[in-house]
Amino acid sequence: MGRSYFIHTFGCQMNESDSQRMGEALSRAGWSAAGAAEAADLVLVNTCSIREKAEDKLFSALGRYRLLKSQRGLKIGVAGCVASSQTERLLARAPFVDFVLGPDHLDKVPELADRGGVETDFLDTEQYLFPQADPETSRGRATAFVTAMKGCDNVCSFCVVPYTRGREVSRPYAEVVREIASLVAVGVREVTLIGQNVNSYAGGCTFAELIRRVASVPGLLRIRFTTSHPMDLSPELVRCFHDVPQLMPHFHLPVQHGADTVLQRMRRKYTIGEYQKRIGALPEHVALTSDIICGFPGETDEEHAENIAFLSRTPYDNLFSFLYSPRPHTGAILKLAEWGEVPRETALRRLDEVQKLQQARTLRRHLDRVGSEVEVLVEGGAGFAGDGRSPKGRSSDAHGFGRSRENWTVHFEGDANVGDLIEVRVQSASLVALRGAQTKVLDRAEATAAPRRRLAVVNAPECCG
Ligand code: 5AD
Ligand code: SF4
């Protein structure tokens, strides 16, 4: 029997995609995927450091794996953002970790698993080669993430990402398009182009041009992308929402706060007026979502009221709202004493107000769709291999699930298979999903021959929805 691995993923889509690439590198080196940490010879924890809570979860997971190590002698590796930004602190707190690798060294995981050690430096544009996805990993899936760029050149004062992921590097467009064509060949019908600041893409063409090139891949039905900075929203990209039919009408464009004074302290480089002008150019049918931080240092009652007023007049489809978490190496932590920390109770109260406002609105939007038809790409259904994860809120009687064009989760009764594009008549709705019955198949996916390979990856979403 060969050796087996298990990957525990925290954080965003970028980390999820990195975990897949690491799994593929281990498979190429002869490792196989284990169904659980208890059965593995290697546990790899792919970490997130966006907020302190994510780090706390990492250390509690490491505590559990340490116990397994003492019982079974497995190896423990730590990858991702904590690995790259806080190697020393990590090794001091968890000295039983065998190896540490940063996001630029995914291909080295088999080598490090054998010899141990630390590889966390960033590679610059000339040296960096984006790991190519193995399409077999996505066989049997309707959707896949495709890396378009990595890193971030912005300096938002709350954010640790430029420190954990390094400078921006874009992947050449021909490589991106080739990868997508290979995914479509194994049955994938929707791709999400990912990058920490994906709309500042510069891999030989603009991001809008990249979308148009991707749209020309035959058989690809849907394109999404995440995540974007408002300052990089070009008129060209807005045009894509008007005239690229494959581009789904959903735009995640984090505003972070509704008061100019807070945006200035956050170093976001735009005012609310500029943000509003930009989103005003988007076609009306585009579902807009955003991120909001409550309790940013120095946030006054007046600034919070401005935030609420902005959110009330901006018709967001959904919001991901967070409590500010001071992060090492960031601009805001250096200014914490000067700007003043917001008492936790005040910050929690403000967060609650933001969440209640949005929840009522999201529910209303969902309920408005009851009685109408929505187009759904099926992600789990009758032909479902059974080893995928169903989204939260799925009831046992629901037959399948997928996503609407706006990215809403839809559960349905019907006989559609994974990859089918169907129409669902909505019968009921909740805050998290729509529920209904399949009325027709709009485009049936051809069956993908072989069963999908088991992925020894669990994911604990921390951020970005
Ligand atoms: N505290 C709270 N939220 C944060 N985010 C990023 N850094 C922090 C922080 N220090 C949020 C932002 C970002 C999302 C992915 O996480 O809203 O858009
Ligand atoms: Fe890392 Fe940021 Fe992704 Fe978290 S959201 S895993 S910190 S890149």
Side-chain angles (χ1 to χ4, degrees):
M1 271 283 285
R3 296 176 297 174
S4 65
Y5 68 90
F6 181 80
I7 306 181
H8 185 160
T9 308
F10 292 90
C12 60
Q13 293 94 336
M14 191 62 97
N15 265 16
E16 218 173 296
S17 154
D18 285 354
S19 288
Q20 288 188 356
R21 301 294 84 78
M22 288 190 286
E24 289 161 9
L26 285 162
S27 297
R28 281 195 298 274
W31 292 73
S32 62
E38 287 72 17
D41 301 299
L42 164 68
V43 170
L44 191 57
V45 188
N46 197 2
T47 62
C48 173
S49 61
I50 196 95
R51 282 171 291 275
E52 204 173 356
K53 209 165 97 195
E55 279 185 35
D56 293 345
K57 285 190 189 163
L58 157 71
F59 285 106
S60 86
L62 282 177
R64 291 197 303 278
Y65 297 138
R66 177 192 202 172
L67 198 66
L68 287 180
K69 181 171 183 161
S70 66
Q71 290 163 350
R72 305 189 38 249
L74 51 73
K75 284 196 173 170
I76 301 177
V78 175
C81 292
V82 178
S84 68
S85 61
Q86 295 169 65
T87 320
E88 274 146 40
R89 202 170 73 87
L90 170 72
L91 288 174
R93 240 180 114 174
F96 51 88
V97 164
D98 297 286
F99 65 94
V100 180
L101 84 161
D104 280 7
H105 300 278
L106 307 179
D107 280 346
K108 285 198 183 144
V109 63
E111 182 192 325
L112 281 167
D114 284 335
R115 70 167 161 84
V118 174
E119 293 275 357
T120 53
D121 53 323
F122 291 119
L123 303 178
D124 64 24
T125 327
E126 279 76 43
Q127 290 171 293
Y128 189 73
L129 282 177
F130 284 87
Q132 194 76 37
D134 176 356
E136 287 306 312
T137 304
S138 296
R139 186 180 288 277
R141 289 188 175 183
T143 80
F145 294 126
V146 174
T147 305
M149 56 84 72
K150 63 153 194 135
C152 181
D153 286 351
N154 290 312
V155 282
C156 305
S157 64
F158 52 82
C159 189
V160 75
V161 167
Y163 198 79
T164 59
R165 292 278 176 169
R167 301 299 304 262
E168 287 178 10
V169 183
S170 291
R171 193 173 180 194
Y173 69 79
E175 229 182 82
V176 177
V177 172
R178 207 175 320 122
E179 184 166 305
I180 291 171
S182 72
L183 289 166
V184 172
V186 297
V188 167
R189 314 203 89 196
E190 172 188 278
V191 292
T192 303
L193 297 167
I194 55 170
Q196 271 87 24
N197 196 11
V198 77
N199 58 346
S200 73
Y201 175 84
C205 66
T206 63
F207 187 57
E209 282 161 5
L210 177 70
I211 286 177
R212 289 180 191 279
R213 287 176 199 271
V214 170
S216 71
V217 173
L220 184 70
L221 300 183
R222 289 179 164 194
I223 303 171
R224 302 183 187 278
F225 61 87
T226 195
T227 188
S228 304
H229 192 290
M231 289 315 277
D232 297 310
L233 169 52
S234 65
E236 248 190 303
L237 183 54
V238 172
R239 257 196 311 280
C240 288
F241 280 107
H242 284 277
D243 64 11
V244 178
Q246 294 90 337
L247 183 61
M248 288 297 99
H250 168 225
F251 197 1
H252 185 63
L253 192 66
V255 67
Q256 310 297 358
H257 206 279
D260 285 342
T261 41
V262 178
L263 290 176
Q264 211 171 11
R265 292 202 296 283
M266 286 179 164
R267 288 207 224 125
R268 287 292 286 177
K269 301 191 288 194
Y270 53 82
T271 61
I272 282 299
E274 284 161 343
Y275 180 90
Q276 278 172 324
K277 205 163 148 204
R278 280 168 194 245
I279 57 173
L282 290 166
E284 228 171 78
H285 67 285
V286 172
L288 196 64
T289 58
S290 190
D291 293 339
I292 287 285
I293 297 179
C294 294
F296 186 74
E299 186 190 53
T300 61
D301 284 339
E302 291 71 32
E303 286 170 336
H304 171 64
E306 274 185 67
N307 196 20
I308 293 290
F310 166 73
L311 294 175
S312 304
R313 66 175 185 268
T314 309
Y316 283 123
D317 213 62
N318 211 347
L319 271 187
F320 302 96
S321 39
F322 310 104
L323 207 59
Y324 170 70
S325 169
R327 305 315 294 134
H329 317 291
T330 54
I333 205 168
L334 300 174
K335 293 275 194 176
L336 206 54
E338 185 185 324
W339 293 342
E341 215 168 330
V342 175
R344 192 175 159 77
E345 275 184 11
T346 309
L348 278 170
R349 193 168 14 87
R350 291 176 182 168
L351 180 69
D352 188 55
E353 206 179 323
V354 167
Q355 287 178 341
K356 288 213 170 90
L357 184 160
Q358 185 59 43
Q359 280 168 5
R361 186 158 55 183
T362 302
L363 180 61
R364 229 175 13 251
R365 276 174 188 269
H366 285 179
L367 288 171
D368 279 351
R369 297 306 280 265
V370 174
S372 66
E373 273 81 35
V374 290
E375 179 199 289
V376 174
L377 178 65
V378 180
E379 293 179 29
F384 194 34
D387 57 348
R389 290 161 288 134
S390 62
K392 276 186 212 151
R394 184 186 179 193
S395 79
S396 53
D397 64 342
H399 180 88
F401 67 90
R403 285 187 181 263
S404 73
R405 294 170 63 80
E406 304 89 341
N407 212 28
W408 298 340
T409 299
V410 182
H411 304 282
F412 65 91
E413 299 287 339
D415 63 359
N417 285 344
V418 170
D420 286 348
L421 196 67
I422 63 169
E423 190 180 85
V424 172
R425 171 166 282 261
V426 182
Q427 293 160 334
S428 63
S430 70
L431 188 57
V432 291
L434 307 181
R435 197 171 291 274
Q438 172 187 334
T439 47
K440 47 173 129 125
V441 176
L442 301 168
D443 189 330
R444 194 173 290 284
E446 281 167 39
T448 43
R452 110 159 89 109
R453 179 193 295 165
R454 180 160 63 178
L455 263 188
V457 174
V458 293
N459 188 49
E462 269 313 318
C463 48
C464 321

